[in-house]
Amino acid sequence: MNPIDIPAEWNDSALLTFEEFCALIHIPQRTVRDWRRRGVGPRFWRFNGTGRLYTTVAEVRRFTDPVNAAR
């Protein structure tokens, strides 16, 4: 399996939508929704009263870091 490549030039505070995150890590949205329901995976937030879910690049890096996966 290939590692997830997050470009080094991406700002850690940049936001990714739920859909962008799923596309980035090549995982179906249904799987990520299940992770959220079970309390695993990256953290997501809603901003400005919208229904859209967002995560940060820093959170994606934390989640995809092999060191964290071993814990």
Side-chain angles (χ1 to χ4, degrees), residues 17-63:
T17 65
F18 176 83
E19 295 83 5
E20 290 169 333
F21 170 77
C22 294
L24 177 70
I25 66 167
H26 307 288
I27 299 291
Q29 291 181 15
R30 185 177 189 163
T31 300
V32 179
R33 284 189 191 103
D34 183 57
W35 291 350
R36 290 192 69 233
R37 184 184 57 78
R38 292 185 298 134
V40 298
R43 293 173 288 212
F44 286 89
W45 299 271
R46 295 182 199 279
F47 295 105
N48 299 326
T50 66
R52 301 215 61 171
L53 289 168
Y54 296 89
T55 191
T56 64
V57 170
E59 181 64 15
V60 175
R61 284 190 173 118
R62 181 201 61 80
F63 175 69

